[in-house]
Amino acid sequence: MKHLTALLLLLALCVPAFAAGRSPRKKRKQTKTEQPQPAPAPAVPTVEPKPAPQTQTAPARPELPDDVSLGFTPAQTDSLLAVWRERQRMDAYTEFFNNYILVDSLIPDTTPDSVYVGRLRALASPIQLPYNPLVKSYINRYTDSRYGTIGRVLGMSQYYFPLIEEELLRADLPVELRALPIIESALSATATSPMGAVGLWQFMPSTGKSYGLEVNSLVDERRDPIRSTQAACRYLRDLYAIYNDWTLAIAAYNCGPGNVNKAIARSGGKTFWEIYDYLPRETRGYVPAFIGASYAYAYHRQHGIEAAEAPIPLSVDTIRVNRLLHFGQIASTIDLPLETLRQLNPQYKIDIIPATTKPYTLVLPQRSVTEYIAHEQEIFAKDSAYLKEYLDPANLDKKRQERTGSVYVVKKGDTLGAIARRYRVTTAQLMRWNKIRNPRALRIGQRLRIEGR
């Protein structure tokens, strides 16, 4: 009995101790499964409790509308697209000079030759761009602010160079060949030489036709920026295949491969500079002029030259036309000046798109495309009013004489009489065609039109 009482007393002491040792585990387990509720704070009747600061939650993402046009009209969409394309083209133009051309201080006339040499070498190109006194004379000519040539060319290049560069890259040709239209036409799509060469690339009629360009009374694709550039790319590839030297190919582009071959045969040379003395006089300066134009285009800012404003809309689109159409039908229906249509479509010589047997292209400012499409039926309905006059052959000849002609850029030392004798016209005719009152008031860089050539 004594032993049983001791055993019961021992068990009574052990059970509470065992339970006390187990309670923390139970509490931890309970903490994991249940969060204890905090005791309410005692109310204070005299003091207003401050509201607890609200936690900032991320704003809900707005739902995108199902309509991808965002509610804009087609005309507004075209306008926004035009702004984007113009900005893109201007940004690309700016990026070229900011990122790829070394920027340094403006250079005076006493700049060391080593500066020119270094800059030409920096224009890494498969076309050799050497420096010598002849090249320097052309650099000085193109960078002389008195002429204003490069400023105007830079303005035009914002429209033409993206088109030209795209075709050069597509043909796997050096992009530096874009400088050729600078020395050929000063980037004027309607430029006409006294010998009859026309357009940015100054194709003669026979050469243009041999490379697939349409040349007739109504259409002259030598003036079409894209079609003429495509033809020039094919021609330049053929010339390079003959000589395997870009300076010789460029010289042959100017005077023809026949004259280059004669110069090679007579001199025994294999490079442009070795055959220089045996080339025609004009061609001797052609490659140096190409180098000078390339330099001036790349480094115009170092000479204090800025680009003029582009006179052509930079954002454009193309429409296919399947009916005979006069530019006047468009200009009289939608808000688009006739002169803008002529600038964007210089290949149509008398404002007529002769789409009778095949379709032709019509280039419009991006902002005007939707408006044109919306009024297309109204535009074509005016054909009898605008085309009746032009379907008479006599009227066609008259209009062709009015729209065709040569353009001469006044140079230092030019006089109106000398220019008239050069083109075999009278001074009075030049003054009448160009509305000149004082024949002694010519300006360097002034463009004179010579009608009927």
Side-chain angles (χ1 to χ4, degrees):
M1 188 67 181
K2 187 185 292 186
H3 292 291
L4 179 61
T5 302
L7 181 60
L8 291 174
L9 182 60
L10 182 61
L11 288 172
L13 293 172
C14 290
V15 168
F18 179 76
R22 294 280 298 176
S23 60
R25 289 191 181 179
K26 288 184 178 179
K27 185 177 287 187
R28 284 195 298 269
K29 185 174 183 181
Q30 184 180 7
T31 304
K32 291 182 180 178
T33 57
E34 290 185 7
Q35 294 293 334
Q37 297 294 328
V44 181
T46 58
V47 180
E48 188 93 10
K50 294 182 179 180
Q54 297 180 356
T55 57
Q56 294 183 355
T57 57
R61 299 177 66 179
E63 295 183 3
L64 294 176
D66 294 334
D67 184 7
V68 296
S69 68
L70 301 178
F72 294 129
T73 65
Q76 290 172 327
T77 304
D78 263 346
S79 181
L80 290 173
L81 181 60
V83 171
W84 174 76
R85 285 186 173 174
E86 289 172 2
R87 184 176 299 172
Q88 185 185 46
R89 185 162 291 186
M90 291 298 295
D91 288 346
Y93 172 84
T94 303
E95 182 183 5
F96 172 78
F97 294 107
N98 288 345
N99 296 347
Y100 296 96
I101 299 300
L102 299 176
V103 177
D104 52 16
S105 58
L106 300 180
I107 60 172
D109 294 337
T110 57
T111 302
D113 289 347
S114 59
V115 173
Y116 293 110
V117 173
R119 287 177 176 167
L120 288 173
R121 286 178 179 174
L123 298 176
S125 170
I127 304 175
Q128 293 182 354
L129 302 174
Y131 178 79
N132 54 46
L134 186 58
V135 169
K136 183 177 181 179
S137 68
Y138 279 95
I139 290 176
N140 291 337
R141 180 179 300 181
Y142 278 112
T143 56
D144 192 332
S145 58
R146 293 175 299 174
Y147 291 99
T149 302
I150 286 298
R152 191 193 69 82
V153 165
L154 289 169
M156 300 296 292
S157 71
Q158 297 170 52
Y159 176 78
Y160 285 120
F161 273 10
L163 307 176
I164 293 172
E165 290 170 359
E166 182 177 354
E167 297 301 333
L168 289 170
L169 292 171
R170 187 175 296 169
D172 197 24
L173 295 176
V175 74
E176 291 78 14
L177 291 171
R178 65 190 168 200
L180 279 178
I182 296 179
I183 58 178
E184 285 287 352
S185 62
L187 289 185
S188 173
T190 57
T192 304
S193 76
M195 299 299 293
V198 169
L200 292 174
W201 297 88
Q202 289 291 284
F203 275 110
M204 294 294 289
S206 58
T207 308
K209 289 181 178 180
S210 67
Y211 280 91
L213 298 180
E214 181 179 352
V215 181
N216 55 46
S217 298
L218 298 180
V219 180
D220 191 343
E221 288 186 334
R222 294 177 297 170
R223 296 158 55 157
D224 185 319
I226 295 179
R227 293 281 294 136
S228 65
T229 300
Q230 292 170 345
C233 288
R234 293 193 293 271
Y235 188 26
L236 287 165
R237 290 188 69 173
D238 290 346
L239 292 174
Y240 183 74
I242 296 173
Y243 301 107
N244 199 34
D245 180 283
W246 275 117
T247 56
L248 290 178
I250 291 171
Y253 186 89
N254 175 252
C255 66
N259 285 321
V260 172
N261 292 342
K262 293 173 187 174
I264 292 174
R266 289 168 179 162
S267 66
K270 296 181 179 180
T271 69
F272 171 82
W273 302 104
E274 291 174 348
I275 69 172
Y276 175 87
D277 292 328
Y278 298 86
L279 288 168
R281 181 178 178 181
E282 180 185 352
T283 308
R284 294 176 197 170
Y286 195 75
V287 170
F290 172 83
I291 300 172
S294 299
Y295 173 93
Y297 175 74
Y299 296 107
H300 66 277
R301 287 180 177 172
Q302 282 79 340
H303 294 265
I305 300 173
E306 293 298 331
E309 184 178 355
I312 304 178
L314 298 182
S315 178
V316 297
D317 205 345
T318 304
I319 297 288
R320 289 178 70 83
V321 177
N322 296 290
R323 290 175 54 179
L324 198 65
L325 181 66
H326 187 279
F327 287 168
Q329 296 172 242
I330 304 171
S332 64
T333 307
I334 65 176
D335 184 19
L336 186 57
L338 187 63
E339 190 56 36
T340 300
L341 287 168
R342 289 171 174 169
Q343 287 179 330
L344 296 177
N345 302 274
Q347 66 271 33
Y348 302 118
K349 298 167 69 173
I350 56 174
D351 299 341
I352 293 178
I353 303 177
T356 53
T357 59
K358 67 176 184 177
Y360 283 85
T361 59
L362 171 67
V363 179
L364 297 172
Q366 184 68 55
R367 291 179 173 85
S368 303
V369 172
T370 300
E371 189 179 6
Y372 173 89
I373 294 173
H375 295 85
E376 192 169 35
Q377 295 304 319
E378 183 182 351
I379 290 170
F380 282 117
K382 296 182 177 181
D383 55 355
S384 59
Y386 280 88
L387 292 170
K388 181 179 179 180
E389 175 186 359
Y390 296 91
L391 295 179
D392 185 344
N395 289 330
L396 284 177
D397 290 339
K398 179 181 177 181
K399 292 296 179 182
R400 188 181 306 115
Q401 289 295 324
E402 292 176 357
R403 285 296 310 277
T404 58
S406 300
V407 176
Y408 180 78
V409 180
V410 177
K411 300 179 180 61
K412 185 178 180 180
D414 279 340
T415 63
L416 207 60
I419 297 171
R421 289 191 296 273
R422 178 176 180 179
Y423 285 90
R424 298 181 182 179
V425 297
T426 65
T427 303
Q429 286 177 314
L430 281 180
M431 294 177 66
R432 183 174 69 254
W433 292 334
N434 296 277
K435 299 179 181 179
I436 297 174
R437 295 183 178 181
N438 183 0
R440 296 183 178 85
L442 290 182
R443 304 185 310 276
I444 295 174
Q446 182 178 355
R447 298 168 64 81
L448 298 180
R449 185 169 185 81
I450 294 89
E451 300 287 355
R453 296 188 64 84

